[in-house]
Amino acid sequence: MAGQQRYLRYIVFALVCLVLLLFISSSSSVPSAQWPTSKFKTGGAKPSQPATSNQDALKPASPPTTPNPDSKLPPATASGERMNATFVTLARNEDLWEILKSIRSVEDRFNRKFNYDWVFLNDKEFNDEFKKMTSAIVSGKTKYGLIPTEHWSYPDFIDQKRAAAVRQEMKEKQIIYGDSESYRHMCRYESGFFFRHPLLLDYEWYWRVEPSVKFFCDINYDTFKFMAENKKKYSFTLSLHEYEATIPTLWDSVKNFTKMYPQHIVEGNSLKFISDDEGKTYNNCHFWSNFEIGNLNWLRSQAYLDFFELLDQAGGFFYERWGDAPVHSIAAALMLKKEELHFFNDIAYYHVPFTHCPTGEKFRIDHKCTCQSTDNFDWKGYSCTSKFYEINGLPRPEGYENEQD
Ligand SMILES: Nc1nc2c(ncn2[C@@H]2O[C@H](COP(=O)(O)OP(=O)(O)OP(=O)(O)O)[C@@H](O)[C@H]2O)c(=O)[nH]1
Ligand SMILES: *[C@@H]1O[C@H](CO)[C@@H](O)[C@H](O)[C@H]1NC(C)=O
Ligand SMILES: *[C@@H]1O[C@H](CO)[C@@H](O)[C@H](O)[C@H]1NC(C)=O
Ligand SMILES: [Mg+2]
């Protein structure tokens, strides 16, 4: 009898334990099991068309367990039509890890809301790792293009022995990239060919991004749409003086161009930005072309193509070390109306060694900026941005004095 009772006690005790265990495990597992994985799956799907509205992709499959009560937060993806636009990056396979940082920065501050495409160009085939890693973090479509040899080699009118002698000379003078052959092909490609790549023929607008750059503030509107609506063709965030030794005869060629093609020189242009003596000499001011938002159809226009062709024939990409920044800038200053150029003061940007950080604390707070105003290059002596303000009659922002040298 006593043995049976003990047996019963054991059973009751075991049952109680089981019920307790079930209760603990079920109550603690509810929230973690409902962590919104399903929402990530649907929200993360790439829109197949860049131009369609993204409303559907945003609807979560099930209601989130912890709704955010802050109704002031903007939607994760901007609504409305997309422009006919793409990011474009020229890079080598070994640039992968630095370009990933740039892309992450662009996505976080801008493109996660807009999902624009990204075109990558290379003089060699991109490898699988490059394609895999970059396509994993671009929110739009990614495309990878090989540059045709004709666009990345010596034209037959170039005397390669003379070019080699120049490289040796520039090396001795320690001119930056002075002895580099690939840097020259790169500058010539960015000056005259990238916009003619078959992958870019599909687009009207481009935003150029290089490895190792940073964006410091939120960009909450569509910059491409801004360009179109305000009839802008070319834009910049940083401007500075070019290193004279890399372009000794560039201005002579530009003068040849203006003589040969007076019809391409536009009235009401920005000649004053690039020359302090009505065109006699170049003051070396240029927009820094590692950042550009611009119109591809302008670069593909007869005016720009004639300009590039004349410069190319002059040989300065190889006999000197002409950069694509002064080439684009001089073209924009002579062949576009003043009003067609835009200074993106609100795009805070870094490319070694210069920073553009918008002047004014309120702006930087409102846009969640992480740059320091004392690093702002705009009002320092080597920048040309104050000249841009001057020729356009723009008032300098309050507080600029504190950011001078
Ligand atoms: N495919 C390819 N891309 C290149 C080559 N050289 C430069 N680039 C790319 O061309 C752009 C400009 O080159 P950079 O080396 O950044 O030149 P830079 O901005 O004048 O100088 P850094 O101070 O080094 O940034 C970058 O997007 C590079 O990734 C090359 O030989 N092949
Ligand atoms: C985008 O622009 C390019 C260049 O102007 C044009 O050829 C193409 O048809 C346009 N695509 C769309 C969808 O409008
Ligand atoms: C300018 O044109 C003249 C006449 O065609 C030519 O001799 C000269 O070499 C050109 N200068 C440059 C720098 O291209
Ligand atoms: Mg660079």
Side-chain angles (χ1 to χ4, degrees):
M1 219 34 201
Q4 243 179 6
Q5 260 185 8
R6 196 187 308 146
Y7 190 59
L8 215 73
R9 270 211 304 276
Y10 279 142
I11 288 177
V12 169
F13 181 72
L15 270 173
V16 167
C17 283
L18 204 77
V19 166
L20 253 162
L21 213 78
L22 269 173
F23 178 76
I24 290 169
S25 71
S26 70
S27 62
S28 66
S29 74
V30 164
S32 62
Q34 295 237 328
W35 185 252
T37 46
S38 56
K39 187 182 136 203
F40 285 142
K41 268 183 206 129
T42 50
K46 285 185 185 182
S48 53
Q49 285 294 320
T52 57
S53 136
N54 287 299
Q55 295 294 19
D56 291 342
L58 274 180
K59 279 186 199 136
S62 54
T65 50
T66 54
N68 193 325
D70 189 349
S71 57
K72 289 198 299 276
L73 280 175
T77 305
S79 60
E81 288 283 297
R82 295 297 182 262
M83 300 296 288
N84 187 355
T86 184
F87 287 92
V88 60
T89 291
L90 176 66
R92 295 153 288 208
N93 284 307
E94 58 266 33
D95 292 321
L96 172 60
W97 303 103
E98 291 304 311
I99 196 61
L100 283 178
K101 292 184 208 168
S102 301
I103 298 171
R104 187 67 262 160
S105 181
V106 170
E107 287 288 336
D108 289 346
R109 292 304 194 166
F110 173 81
N111 204 41
R112 67 184 174 83
K113 292 165 277 194
F114 296 94
N115 311 143
Y116 279 108
D117 295 352
W118 208 301
V119 173
F120 296 90
L121 301 174
N122 190 351
D123 57 307
K124 304 204 173 66
E125 285 284 359
F126 281 113
N127 60 34
D128 288 343
E129 186 184 36
F130 190 99
K131 293 184 194 169
K132 187 169 60 182
M133 300 307 288
T134 50
S135 61
I137 62 169
V138 172
S139 61
K141 275 191 260 178
T142 48
K143 302 179 185 178
Y144 302 87
L146 181 64
I147 294 168
T149 316
E150 315 87 80
H151 293 173
W152 195 284
S153 53
Y154 290 100
D156 49 21
F157 54 82
I158 291 295
D159 174 352
Q160 293 190 38
K161 281 206 184 104
R162 183 178 160 196
V166 169
R167 290 199 301 277
Q168 190 53 38
E169 211 178 292
M170 286 200 175
K171 182 185 183 148
E172 280 150 25
K173 289 188 192 152
Q174 298 191 335
I175 292 168
I176 186 168
Y177 296 118
D179 63 335
S180 170
E181 213 168 2
S182 68
Y183 193 85
R184 285 181 170 78
H185 287 300
M186 180 275 286
C187 290
R188 179 169 175 261
Y189 186 76
E190 293 285 26
S191 296
F193 298 104
F194 83 92
F195 47 84
R196 295 190 246 190
H197 192 283
L199 289 178
L200 285 176
L201 295 181
D202 288 346
Y203 299 98
E204 187 181 354
W205 301 95
Y206 74 105
W207 179 334
R208 175 169 163 184
V209 178
E210 282 201 0
S212 319
V213 302
K214 295 176 195 166
F215 291 85
F216 298 113
C217 304
D218 280 354
I219 304 161
N220 296 322
Y221 65 98
D222 187 337
T223 52
F224 296 116
K225 196 176 272 178
F226 173 90
M227 295 284 289
E229 282 174 354
N230 292 280
K231 299 192 168 63
K232 304 289 184 186
K233 294 279 165 60
Y234 190 79
S235 68
F236 70 100
T237 55
L238 281 160
S239 73
L240 65 156
H241 292 85
E242 181 59 300
Y243 192 12
E244 174 87 45
T246 64
I247 49 158
T249 71
L250 174 58
W251 195 250
D252 289 337
S253 286
V254 170
K255 284 204 267 194
N256 275 0
F257 173 76
T258 61
K259 233 175 275 152
M260 199 172 320
Y261 296 100
Q263 71 273 27
H264 291 332
I265 309 305
V266 161
E267 226 174 285
N269 64 17
S270 307
L271 174 65
K272 280 197 162 89
F273 179 72
I274 53 173
S275 177
D276 300 333
D277 49 19
E278 270 114 53
K280 240 178 25 219
T281 60
Y282 182 34
N283 64 16
N284 296 341
C285 276
H286 64 286
F287 308 122
W288 220 21
S289 61
N290 47 65
F291 167 95
E292 292 178 320
I293 298 176
N295 187 293
L296 291 163
N297 290 341
W298 170 59
L299 293 173
R300 290 186 286 242
S301 70
Q302 201 53 53
Y304 186 87
L305 293 177
D306 286 342
F307 179 69
F308 172 73
E309 185 60 24
L310 186 142
L311 296 189
D312 200 31
Q313 294 284 335
F317 291 107
F318 298 106
Y319 302 145
E320 296 179 4
R321 206 221 68 196
W322 294 353
D324 54 281
V327 171
H328 287 181
S329 302
I330 291 169
L334 294 178
M335 299 193 280
L336 293 178
K337 289 191 201 132
K338 256 184 178 174
E339 305 79 52
E340 292 176 313
L341 296 182
H342 183 61
F343 170 46
F344 271 110
N345 182 42
D346 50 354
I347 298 187
Y349 175 74
Y350 170 82
H351 176 295
V352 64
F354 300 119
T355 296
H356 166 65
C357 185
T359 306
E361 191 178 64
K362 182 173 180 347
F363 178 90
R364 294 198 305 275
I365 288 171
D366 289 348
H367 295 81
K368 306 177 173 25
C369 303
T370 58
C371 58
Q372 204 176 330
S373 68
T374 46
D375 288 339
N376 185 25
F377 181 65
D378 297 3
W379 313 112
K380 306 208 191 290
Y382 201 56
S383 166
C384 288
T385 299
S386 53
K387 189 177 287 293
F388 185 83
Y389 268 64
E390 214 173 279
I391 72 156
N392 287 291
L394 299 167
R396 292 186 188 196
E398 211 176 301
Y400 82 91
E401 302 93 337
N402 309 324
E403 299 171 1
Q404 288 172 315
D405 310 79

